[in-house]
Amino acid sequence: MAVFPAFNRSDILADLKAATPHAEVHIDDAVALKFSANGRAQDAIQGRILAYVAVGDVADIQGVLRVARQYHIPVIPQSADTSTVIGADGIDGSIILSTIRMNKIQEISKGDFLAVVQPGVINGDLDKAAREQGMFYAPDPGSKPISSIGGNVATNAGGMSSVKYGVTKDSILGLKVVLADGREIKVGGRTLKQAFGYDLTQLFVGSEGTLGIVTEITVKLYPIPVGNAVTGVAFFPDMAALASTVQDLRLSGIYPVMLEALDGKTVQALDEYEGTHYAKSATASMLIFKLDAGGEASLAIAEQILKDHQAENVSVTADPTEAAQLMKLRQDMLPAVFAHGNHIMEDMAVPLSKLPEMMNYVQEVAQKLDVDVYTAGHAGDGNVHPSLLWPKDQAEPPAKIIEATRLMFHKALALGGTISGEHAVGMSKNQWTNVELGFDVDSIQHQIKNLFDPLGILNPKRKIN
Amino acid sequence: MAVFPAFNRSDILADLKAATPHAEVHIDDAVALKFSANGRAQDAIQGRILAYVAVGDVADIQGVLRVARQYHIPVIPQSADTSTVIGADGIDGSIILSTIRMNKIQEISKGDFLAVVQPGVINGDLDKAAREQGMFYAPDPGSKPISSIGGNVATNAGGMSSVKYGVTKDSILGLKVVLADGREIKVGGRTLKQAFGYDLTQLFVGSEGTLGIVTEITVKLYPIPVGNAVTGVAFFPDMAALASTVQDLRLSGIYPVMLEALDGKTVQALDEYEGTHYAKSATASMLIFKLDAGGEASLAIAEQILKDHQAENVSVTADPTEAAQLMKLRQDMLPAVFAHGNHIMEDMAVPLSKLPEMMNYVQEVAQKLDVDVYTAGHAGDGNVHPSLLWPKDQAEPPAKIIEATRLMFHKALALGGTISGEHAVGMSKNQWTNVELGFDVDSIQHQIKNLFDPLGILNPKRKIN
């Protein structure tokens, strides 16, 4: 039996180059390998890409899609390539369409409280530019210094300040998107209220490049709040005590901008890394919090709540230098943990009241399956990030890590949660669509995918199954 | 030539009654007339409805849809029936499916900072129940005491506090929806972060009952902010001076929860109604503002900004009784204006910096076409509500009113705005879909409509054209 291809590689590549006059087109093996496997062993994808195309403009994007439609080639949208869910790695025979060179901040408007950016702009760069005008860009994923706004939109990225300012979708006012058929459409706009059409903007946000290629993003900017920022850390005997404190801090009406939790093992790893002695017990849990408004009055309320909950080793400061020292504990968390082995960092979100139960279950599974698990979380919005570790001399995670993750996912769902709080689905979790969403919603998702991308060329097998 | 109907009315009604055992089914002329024309002369629809069905539960809704599919009958979802855009009035031969009896607040959760409600719950009732638990429901349309959460979701209703807390869509975490084919699906959920599926929740919000019937709504609740609320009024020589003050109040980082503007004619009408003397000139504009957090420090900043902008007759108070007196000016605005004639109140939103230009254009058109126009607006988010008046002895608006509105709509679009900020589209504005959205997006909207409602039975000719 034989398979008869209709086209040969060199014809396709000649067409691709002709169709993308302002792009950098790479077809050499080194680039192909780099972007096929993304340098991450556990994410390695079989096969190799056809080409890596760093587009220069919208016309290039339309050119890539024209060629992709003609030859039925998968197109993988990518910009800063920081996906943690195999969302933007190359697949065999695909074109990686990178928007990383489309990185202009086109406008910062003090008049309209918004910015207009291209997808390749780095989150931290946008925020910096906004702050120079007395405003800021709220969504702050851990990848803020390295991830792009295009990627943040694709994954509906969250962050630490989501507890106060919401996730990426809450900051997106409008988009321009090139559809699979090549048309560029504009959805949403520059107004703060909008009740006209169906909300296609939010349909594209979080769609992981499966419905279209985002070419321009209009984001809401917030004014920098008045009142000194206050940063603090506090310790609790266990996660339940910490969670109950978080509950009261939220309910008090002081609107913290950060409520981060680190479990006992993470605190122990930090002690080891920093030479500190915070971990009085194996379950000692650490809270890092920040208020970006409200000044003295809000601080007094926070301190009283911490006292009522018998928090230990409380440090609170409005001094920027001291605050930076406390924040260093949060920043050092990942290196402190990852010093212990190779890792997968997971991302589940549960209803806020279920946080202690989820945290406890993670530790139960770790013990039962003998897996090294360190858990941190955006406690203020029920977002849990367990890091599962294994020895550095093994490239691939052992089976028990995969099994532990599977159990945790089922638990998050049983608690009314989601198996993706802020990292999206990619290829890592798309086998779970039917489990999390059920058959009916899963089917509707496929109908929507088919509506926008009938040939199935846009980031196939990501997001949906 | 003859038309041969396949079914007769009495068979259909018998099926309808059998399919909706827990519903109140009205087929008498009085009810039919009431809900066909909705008691509003200018909204009168030709023809009469087949039946008004106040459903008792989800099974009734599924029953109505089963009958509607079988006989191809238009179904008009309705609850509190407060649409201002002919969004929920009966059309000839239709079934009005009212969810007004499904009005249970099923849960207020302090643990998860959310409420779960049925669609018939009145906005103000939900807010009151939340406040009893130290939280509040943020979206506050003018219709707060009379409109339902189901209707607020259908229209993506805004309100005064949108400037700080966003519109309805920003408070919706999850929905249950009965689709046209009868399946009940669940989208979104109880978590504050969610990056799993396509965002179908936001697709249903603002879809005006054209994609499905919402049966359960999970809303975010906010803790009541600390710090005394402060309310104030101030006067400016014209709308440009007011708008520039609003800009600075926003940029200052004190996060006002209300920034309302009333134009010169409205101030004059208020003077007449209240016996006050605020209107020193025909263009004198009035700002009403409120801070719900920040206390003394924020107030001092607000007062300095007002002073810098030479605001006149400034009154500011933290005293609840005095605040209520100032708020009375805002509440009396509509009766003061509507005393002058029959009216249409329009609803456009423009980018914030375009507010003065839009306000000026409204007055230009009023003068040019000799139309009596009073304009108020949610100035903090660029949302403009001109009320166009005509003599009370004429039921229908004169042609020049329709023409004035048409000109204003085109202007709002030319300024990068929308012709529906927070009241939705209904049948009033669906001729504008192609104008506001363009052919490509308009087509996608129809594809989405067809995906969810292939028979076109759900609120036909509303929202889209």
Side-chain angles (χ1 to χ4, degrees):
Chain A
M1 304 266 278
V3 171
F4 304 98
F7 311 102
N8 67 41
R9 191 165 181 274
S10 58
D11 286 352
I12 299 173
L13 288 174
D15 277 5
L16 182 61
K17 284 182 185 173
T20 55
H22 307 110
E24 293 170 5
V25 180
H26 297 279
I27 59 164
D28 54 294
D29 279 354
V31 173
L33 275 171
K34 177 172 176 221
F35 289 102
S36 295
N38 198 14
R40 296 188 295 268
Q42 70 269 31
D43 293 352
I45 305 300
Q46 294 289 323
R48 51 169 290 186
I49 61 171
L50 177 73
Y52 172 87
V53 183
V55 297
D57 55 23
V58 169
D60 283 343
I61 295 172
Q62 291 167 321
V64 169
L65 291 170
R66 194 162 61 242
V67 173
R69 289 195 302 275
Q70 186 175 348
Y71 300 107
H72 283 218
I73 299 169
V75 173
I76 314 299
Q78 190 189 86
S79 45
D81 195 21
T82 60
S83 171
T84 60
V85 291
I86 324 181
D89 293 344
I91 60 176
D92 196 41
S94 65
I95 300 171
I96 291 182
L97 187 169
S98 172
T99 54
I100 196 68
R101 291 174 57 229
M102 292 177 68
N103 61 355
K104 300 275 180 306
I105 297 175
Q106 296 174 321
E107 183 187 354
I108 303 268
S109 169
K110 274 172 92 161
D112 292 340
F113 292 88
L114 58 78
V116 182
V117 303
Q118 290 186 314
V121 169
I122 299 301
N123 179 309
D125 294 343
L126 168 58
D127 186 42
K128 188 162 170 283
R131 284 178 192 273
E132 284 164 8
Q133 309 271 334
M135 301 177 289
F136 69 103
Y137 178 63
D140 58 348
S143 59
K144 186 179 177 91
I146 55 169
S147 66
S148 71
I149 302 296
N152 295 172
V153 167
T155 55
N156 188 19
M160 293 195 294
S161 75
S162 301
V163 62
K164 181 166 181 180
Y165 295 104
V167 294
T168 298
K169 80 183 179 76
D170 299 302
S171 282
I172 305 302
L173 294 173
L175 298 171
K176 285 186 181 171
V177 182
V178 173
L179 301 176
D181 64 15
R183 287 177 297 169
E184 187 180 40
I185 63 168
K186 183 182 155 295
V187 293
R190 296 172 69 96
T191 61
L192 297 168
K193 282 178 174 166
Q194 166 62 260
F196 197 81
Y198 295 132
D199 194 342
L200 301 182
T201 309
Q202 298 301 343
L203 194 59
F204 285 112
V205 175
S207 67
E208 305 184 39
T210 63
L211 304 180
I213 314 283
V214 170
T215 54
E216 189 184 279
I217 304 147
T218 302
V219 303
K220 205 188 287 187
L221 299 177
Y222 290 92
I224 295 171
V226 296
N228 287 337
V230 172
T231 308
V233 296
F235 293 83
F236 299 88
D238 55 33
M239 195 52 76
L242 182 149
S244 133
T245 309
V246 162
Q247 200 78 18
D248 283 354
L249 285 169
R250 285 208 62 184
L251 200 57
S252 71
I254 60 174
Y255 285 83
V257 70
M258 189 173 96
L259 287 167
E260 296 290 301
L262 284 60
D263 77 347
K265 284 200 64 162
T266 307
V267 176
Q268 286 172 334
L270 256 183
D271 272 349
E272 219 172 286
Y273 193 82
E274 307 277 339
T276 49
H277 303 280
Y278 289 122
K280 294 200 177 153
S281 75
T283 59
S285 298
M286 177 178 179
L287 171 70
I288 313 185
F289 65 94
K290 188 173 171 185
L291 310 175
D292 69 348
E296 294 297 317
S298 294
L299 174 58
I301 292 169
E303 283 179 323
Q304 185 60 49
I305 291 169
L306 292 169
K307 201 174 157 195
D308 292 347
H309 285 268
Q310 277 106 40
E312 294 180 354
N313 285 322
V314 178
S315 320
V316 185
T317 183
D319 178 78
T321 314
E322 287 172 28
Q325 283 163 0
L326 296 181
M327 283 301 293
K328 190 169 178 298
L329 292 175
R330 173 68 178 79
Q331 286 150 11
D332 286 349
M333 179 192 79
L334 292 183
V337 167
F338 297 163
H340 291 252
N342 285 333
H343 68 277
I344 286 174
M345 183 167 75
E346 261 319 321
D347 165 40
M348 293 153 275
V350 292
L352 204 50
S353 63
K354 306 294 186 191
L355 187 64
E357 190 173 346
M358 188 69 220
M359 289 288 205
N360 288 342
Y361 184 80
V362 166
Q363 294 185 347
E364 263 174 49
V365 168
Q367 279 166 17
K368 195 171 138 198
L369 298 188
D370 187 28
V371 173
D372 207 18
V373 181
Y374 301 75
T375 307
H378 305 305
D381 41 34
N383 191 190
V384 181
H385 290 309
S387 291
L388 294 83
L389 276 74
W390 67 94
K392 288 217 186 240
D393 54 12
Q394 276 177 258
E396 292 297 318
K400 66 182 181 181
I401 296 259
I402 305 295
E403 175 63 7
T405 307
R406 195 183 68 81
L407 292 171
M408 291 173 196
F409 285 1
H410 277 296
K411 182 68 177 184
L413 294 176
L415 292 173
T418 172
I419 67 164
S420 180
E422 55 178 11
H423 293 173
V425 175
M427 204 175 247
S428 293
K429 304 183 187 176
N430 72 350
Q431 293 180 32
W432 288 77
T433 48
N434 193 24
V435 188
E436 172 151 346
L437 303 173
F439 167 76
D440 289 330
V441 174
D442 194 17
S443 304
I444 293 168
Q445 296 221 129
H446 280 80
Q447 290 177 286
I448 285 175
K449 166 73 174 171
N450 292 339
L451 189 160
F452 284 96
D453 180 22
L455 296 177
I457 55 176
L458 289 176
N459 220 6
K461 290 290 172 192
R462 269 78 188 254
K463 182 85 182 172
I464 62 174
N465 195 345
Chain B
M1 304 267 278
V3 170
F4 303 99
F7 310 102
N8 66 42
R9 190 165 181 275
S10 59
D11 287 351
I12 298 172
L13 287 173
D15 276 5
L16 182 62
K17 283 182 183 171
T20 56
H22 307 110
E24 293 170 6
V25 180
H26 298 279
I27 59 165
D28 53 295
D29 278 354
V31 173
L33 275 171
K34 176 174 176 219
F35 289 101
S36 295
N38 198 12
R40 296 189 295 269
Q42 71 269 31
D43 294 352
I45 304 300
Q46 293 289 327
R48 52 169 290 186
I49 61 172
L50 177 74
Y52 172 86
V53 183
V55 296
D57 55 22
V58 170
D60 283 343
I61 294 173
Q62 292 168 321
V64 169
L65 291 170
R66 195 163 59 241
V67 172
R69 288 194 303 277
Q70 187 176 347
Y71 300 107
H72 284 216
I73 299 170
V75 173
I76 314 298
Q78 190 189 86
S79 45
D81 195 21
T82 60
S83 171
T84 60
V85 291
I86 326 181
D89 292 344
I91 59 176
D92 196 42
S94 66
I95 300 171
I96 291 181
L97 187 169
S98 172
T99 54
I100 195 69
R101 291 175 56 228
M102 292 176 69
N103 62 356
K104 301 276 181 304
I105 297 176
Q106 295 174 323
E107 183 187 354
I108 304 269
S109 169
K110 274 172 92 161
D112 293 339
F113 292 89
L114 58 78
V116 181
V117 303
Q118 291 186 314
V121 169
I122 299 300
N123 179 309
D125 293 343
L126 168 58
D127 187 43
K128 186 161 172 283
R131 285 179 190 272
E132 284 165 9
Q133 308 270 333
M135 302 177 289
F136 69 103
Y137 178 63
D140 58 348
S143 58
K144 187 179 177 90
I146 54 168
S147 67
S148 70
I149 301 296
N152 295 171
V153 167
T155 55
N156 188 19
M160 293 196 292
S161 75
S162 300
V163 62
K164 180 165 183 180
Y165 295 104
V167 294
T168 297
K169 80 184 179 75
D170 299 302
S171 283
I172 304 302
L173 293 172
L175 298 171
K176 286 187 181 171
V177 183
V178 173
L179 301 176
D181 64 14
R183 287 177 298 170
E184 187 181 40
I185 63 168
K186 184 182 154 295
V187 293
R190 297 172 68 96
T191 61
L192 297 168
K193 283 177 175 166
Q194 165 63 259
F196 197 81
Y198 295 132
D199 194 342
L200 301 182
T201 309
Q202 298 302 341
L203 193 60
F204 285 112
V205 175
S207 69
E208 304 184 37
T210 63
L211 303 180
I213 315 283
V214 170
T215 54
E216 189 184 278
I217 304 148
T218 302
V219 303
K220 206 188 284 186
L221 298 177
Y222 290 92
I224 295 171
V226 296
N228 287 337
V230 172
T231 308
V233 296
F235 294 83
F236 298 88
D238 55 33
M239 195 52 77
L242 182 148
S244 133
T245 309
V246 162
Q247 200 78 17
D248 283 355
L249 285 169
R250 285 207 63 185
L251 200 57
S252 71
I254 60 174
Y255 284 82
V257 71
M258 188 173 97
L259 287 167
E260 296 290 301
L262 284 60
D263 77 348
K265 284 199 64 160
T266 308
V267 176
Q268 286 172 334
L270 256 183
D271 272 349
E272 218 172 285
Y273 193 82
E274 306 277 339
T276 48
H277 302 280
Y278 289 122
K280 294 199 178 155
S281 75
T283 59
S285 298
M286 177 178 179
L287 171 70
I288 312 185
F289 65 94
K290 188 173 170 183
L291 310 175
D292 69 348
E296 293 298 317
S298 294
L299 175 57
I301 293 169
E303 283 178 325
Q304 185 60 48
I305 291 170
L306 292 169
K307 200 174 159 196
D308 292 348
H309 284 268
Q310 277 107 39
E312 294 180 352
N313 285 322
V314 178
S315 320
V316 185
T317 182
D319 178 77
T321 313
E322 286 172 29
Q325 283 163 359
L326 296 182
M327 283 302 294
K328 188 169 181 297
L329 292 175
R330 172 70 179 76
Q331 285 150 12
D332 286 349
M333 179 193 80
L334 292 183
V337 167
F338 297 163
H340 291 250
N342 285 334
H343 68 278
I344 286 176
M345 182 167 74
E346 261 320 319
D347 166 40
M348 292 154 276
V350 292
L352 204 50
S353 62
K354 307 294 187 191
L355 186 64
E357 191 174 345
M358 187 69 220
M359 289 287 206
N360 289 342
Y361 185 80
V362 166
Q363 293 185 349
E364 263 175 49
V365 167
Q367 278 166 18
K368 195 172 138 198
L369 298 188
D370 187 26
V371 173
D372 207 18
V373 181
Y374 300 74
T375 306
H378 305 305
D381 41 33
N383 192 189
V384 180
H385 290 310
S387 290
L388 295 83
L389 275 75
W390 66 93
K392 288 216 186 240
D393 54 13
Q394 276 177 258
E396 293 297 317
K400 64 182 181 181
I401 297 258
I402 305 295
E403 175 63 7
T405 306
R406 195 182 68 81
L407 292 171
M408 291 175 197
F409 285 0
H410 277 296
K411 181 68 176 183
L413 294 176
L415 292 174
T418 172
I419 67 165
S420 180
E422 56 178 10
H423 293 174
V425 176
M427 204 174 246
S428 293
K429 304 184 187 175
N430 72 351
Q431 292 180 32
W432 287 78
T433 49
N434 194 23
V435 188
E436 172 150 346
L437 303 173
F439 168 75
D440 289 330
V441 173
D442 194 16
S443 303
I444 293 169
Q445 294 221 132
H446 280 79
Q447 289 177 285
I448 285 177
K449 166 72 175 174
N450 292 339
L451 189 160
F452 284 96
D453 180 22
L455 296 177
I457 54 176
L458 289 176
N459 220 8
K461 292 289 172 191
R462 270 77 188 256
K463 182 85 181 171
I464 62 174
N465 194 344

